[in-house]
């Protein structure tokens, strides 16, 4: 190659860091990225773009800088991680990369007056946790289609005057104490508020999210092993004993959204729930199958219809959340 030939930049690897010494400043755009990842913990690039907008290529490049480069004042270290678990699928190199904050990102948020939130329970499965994080983001994105609907975050619920002080002071206040065990949803409680033209409001609340990738048995082969049957028993106690009132201060029964990966799995779960809970309790459980979550070898499209699409119920007609809000 002659001295006059242009230099072709070698693409940075997706799976490991290769710093170039590039100076990367932590500006408002970077803080917005950290803030969104602090809220949802794990998100692919296409979901970050759905929230933050702007040019997708520029956002991808900024995420790459915050992952690869450590010449980043004021702390001169790495701010983002790309969890290793995402590289285990055959097509992992061709889907949007998933990012999460490192401690320096949280430090940057605090030092710039932005909150660092309490994190939901995580399992030992990267893809299960990613599904739960995407669903939490999808519920929030779904509220954006209607300006009369406000998404209520866990922080909104935690800081509400109805929430008991003893709950707010717990290290994991979104874990639900039952007889002899805790119920731990896959994401924190949240809600929607609808504001009518006359200024009156109506809200619905959710106990959390249950993300099912068909890895957990419907019934346990041994006592004390985790299963969907045990979760349904726990939620039945949570609802029938009114734990949602004593622990969270909810003035009405919250809904339990359950998302799985196939229609067949969903129907089997609904049959199981019918065996465990009575008709008056099953109406609070919402089911939906989203096959895109069956494999993360393909890009998970941005889901923004959880408010308007029908959710299936046992012994009751399907329910659209928007209809529940505006009735």
């Amino acid at each position: 190659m002659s001295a006059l030939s242009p230099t072709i930049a070698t693409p940075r690897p997706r799976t490991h860091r290769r710093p170039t010494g590039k100076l990367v400043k932590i500006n408002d755009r970077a803080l917005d990225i950290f803030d969104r990842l602090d809220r949802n913990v794990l998100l692919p690039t296409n979901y970050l773009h759905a929230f933050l907008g702007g040019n997708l290529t520029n956002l991808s490049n900024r995420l790459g800088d915050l992952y690869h480069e450590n010449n980043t004042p004021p702390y001169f270290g790495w701010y983002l991680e790309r969890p290793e678990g995402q590289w285990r699928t055959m097509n992992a190199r061709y889907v949007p990369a998933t990012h999460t904050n490192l401690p320096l990102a949280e430090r940057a948020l605090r030092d710039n007056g932005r909150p660092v939130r309490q994190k939901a329970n995580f399992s030992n499965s990267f893809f299960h946790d990613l599904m739960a994080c995407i669903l939490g983001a999808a519920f929030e994105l779904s509220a954006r289609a209607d300006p009369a609907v406000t998404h209520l975050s866990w922080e909104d619920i935690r800081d509400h005057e109805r929430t008991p002080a003893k709950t707010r002071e717990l290290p994991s206040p979104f874990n639900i104490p039952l007889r002899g065990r805790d119920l731990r949803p896959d994401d924190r409680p949240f809600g929607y508020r609808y504001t009518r033209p006359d200024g009156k409001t109506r809200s619905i609340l959710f106990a959390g999210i249950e993300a099912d990738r068909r890895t957990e048995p419907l019934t346990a082969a041994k006592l004390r092993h985790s299963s969907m049957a045990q979760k349904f028993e726990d939620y039945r106690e949570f609802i029938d004993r009114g734990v949602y009132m004593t622990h969270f201060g909810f003035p009405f029964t919250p809904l339990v959204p359950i998302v799985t990966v196939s229609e067949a799995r969903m129907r089997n779960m609904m049959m199981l729930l019918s065996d465990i809970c009575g008709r008056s309790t099953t109406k609070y459980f919402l089911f939906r199958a989203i096959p895109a979550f069956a494999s993360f070898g393909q890009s998970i499209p941005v889901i923004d219809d959880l408010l308007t699409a029908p959710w299936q119920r046992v012994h009751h007609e399907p329910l659209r959340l928007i209809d529940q809000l505006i009735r």
Side-chain angles (χ1 to χ4, degrees), residues 39-152:
R39 181 179 293 276
N40 296 113
V41 184
L42 292 166
L43 282 182
T45 301
N46 58 330
Y47 273 82
L48 287 168
H49 183 250
F51 280 108
L52 302 177
N55 182 276
L56 177 58
T57 299
N58 290 344
L59 175 62
S60 298
N61 291 337
R62 174 56 63 93
L63 291 168
D65 288 343
L66 294 170
Y67 169 70
H68 285 284
E69 306 297 343
N70 60 352
N71 188 17
T72 49
Y75 311 119
F76 295 96
W78 287 286
Y79 291 82
L80 297 184
E81 181 63 280
R82 292 175 177 170
E84 184 274 335
Q86 67 188 294
W87 312 126
R88 297 173 192 166
T89 63
M90 290 183 61
N91 295 326
R93 296 174 185 272
Y94 307 103
V95 301
T98 292
H99 295 83
T100 192
N101 282 340
L102 287 172
L104 282 187
E106 294 188 352
R107 182 177 172 185
L109 287 173
R110 289 191 179 96
D111 288 352
N112 285 275
R114 301 203 187 191
V116 174
R117 302 166 181 85
Q118 295 170 305
K119 304 303 185 291
N121 299 299
F122 265 32
S123 69
N124 294 320
S125 168
F126 168 78
F127 291 114
H128 173 272
D129 294 336
L130 178 57
M131 178 179 176
C133 290
I134 287 177
L135 287 172
F139 272 103
E140 187 172 351
L141 286 170
S142 297
R144 295 189 171 192
D146 191 333
V149 177
T150 301
H151 177 268
L152 303 175

Side-chain angles (χ1 to χ4, degrees), residues 85-297:
Q86 67 188 294
W87 312 126
R88 297 173 192 166
T89 63
M90 290 183 61
N91 295 326
R93 296 174 185 272
Y94 307 103
V95 301
T98 292
H99 295 83
T100 192
N101 282 340
L102 287 172
L104 282 187
E106 294 188 352
R107 182 177 172 185
L109 287 173
R110 289 191 179 96
D111 288 352
N112 285 275
R114 301 203 187 191
V116 174
R117 302 166 181 85
Q118 295 170 305
K119 304 303 185 291
N121 299 299
F122 265 32
S123 69
N124 294 320
S125 168
F126 168 78
F127 291 114
H128 173 272
D129 294 336
L130 178 57
M131 178 179 176
C133 290
I134 287 177
L135 287 172
F139 272 103
E140 187 172 351
L141 286 170
S142 297
R144 295 189 171 192
D146 191 333
V149 177
T150 301
H151 177 268
L152 303 175
S153 69
W154 158 244
E155 289 72 31
D156 293 326
I157 292 171
R158 180 198 62 195
D159 297 337
H160 194 277
E161 60 183 9
R162 286 182 178 271
T163 304
K166 64 179 181 180
T167 297
R168 288 197 297 266
E169 293 165 1
L170 293 172
S172 298
F174 35 77
N175 290 346
I176 302 164
L178 302 176
R179 293 189 179 113
R181 58 187 293 131
D182 279 358
L183 171 58
R184 300 186 176 190
D186 293 326
D187 202 3
R188 297 152 296 183
F190 64 100
Y192 289 130
R193 177 185 296 125
Y194 176 75
T195 303
R196 299 185 176 119
D198 63 4
K200 293 182 179 180
T201 62
R202 179 178 174 83
S203 299
I204 55 177
L205 299 171
F206 301 85
I209 295 171
E210 289 298 332
D212 173 72
R213 295 197 64 244
R214 205 166 44 197
T215 57
E216 195 168 36
L218 292 179
T219 57
K222 297 181 180 180
L223 291 175
R224 298 184 180 179
H225 281 207
S226 180
S227 67
M228 288 308 304
Q230 183 61 62
K231 282 191 176 181
F232 290 159
E233 293 276 7
D234 290 346
Y235 276 113
R236 182 181 68 174
E237 179 183 346
F238 170 69
I239 293 171
D240 291 351
R241 288 184 50 227
V243 179
Y244 59 87
M245 291 186 288
T246 57
H247 186 67
F248 292 123
F250 290 167
F252 49 82
T253 308
L255 301 173
V256 181
I258 301 170
V259 178
T260 189
V261 297
S262 73
E263 291 284 335
R265 173 73 169 184
M266 182 184 74
R267 296 298 172 188
N268 288 335
M269 294 170 74
M270 293 173 71
M271 290 174 59
L272 177 63
L273 180 67
S274 179
D275 293 337
I276 293 173
C277 296
R279 182 183 179 91
S280 62
T281 300
T282 59
K283 67 180 180 181
Y284 299 110
F285 291 81
L286 309 179
F287 291 88
R288 185 168 175 192
I290 302 180
F293 286 118
S295 172
F296 283 88

